[in-house]
Amino acid sequence: MIPYPQALKALPSTPGGYSLHVEPGHPAFDGHFPGQPILSGLIQVDWAARLGQEAFGPLGAFKGVEHLKFQAPIRPDEPLELRLEWAPEARQLRFRYTGGQGPKSGGILVFTPGP
């Protein structure tokens, strides 16, 4: 499990909202890519799911991802905002990463009822 960035803060006025900076040298950039580091999509999805559980409680068992879109790379030390929205009836967690230059990625994580 890749740790969260040191500069991760919940936005107090926004349930499911976070600000983050992924510092240069963070293990999330290992192997992606030497000389041109970017945050992998898998880590973006993992952080969204884990933070969703912290923000909204147990979500259930992970079922899949829908409407996943990567619009721009996330680079080291870039200011980001992550917005999460939980729809309990649909068992869906929407996530959206945004940087200073606009949208970075987003999608819907789907869960089934479970432990």
Side-chain angles (χ1 to χ4, degrees):
M1 183 175 339
I2 300 293
Y4 297 132
Q6 292 177 4
L8 171 69
K9 295 179 185 164
L11 301 173
S13 61
T14 308
Y18 297 88
S19 68
L20 59 150
H21 283 77
V22 188
E23 62 274 5
H26 189 283
F29 295 116
D30 289 352
H32 278 89
F33 293 94
Q36 297 275 357
I38 62 170
L39 188 65
S40 82
L42 182 60
I43 290 171
Q44 294 174 50
V45 169
D46 175 64
W47 286 352
R50 289 171 37 209
L51 288 168
Q53 188 156 312
E54 290 178 24
F56 304 111
L59 305 177
F62 181 74
K63 181 178 177 184
V65 181
E66 296 178 353
H67 307 289
L68 184 61
K69 186 170 186 177
F70 297 101
Q71 296 160 291
I74 296 175
R75 305 217 180 267
D77 219 19
E78 182 175 358
L80 299 168
E81 191 170 281
L82 170 61
R83 297 286 181 125
L84 303 169
E85 298 172 15
W86 174 237
E89 331 66 53
R91 309 220 49 89
Q92 294 180 342
L93 179 69
R94 294 181 183 274
F95 74 93
R96 183 176 61 251
Y97 287 90
T98 306
Q101 302 299 316
K104 297 293 184 171
S105 65
I108 301 171
L109 307 181
V110 182
F111 296 84
T112 59

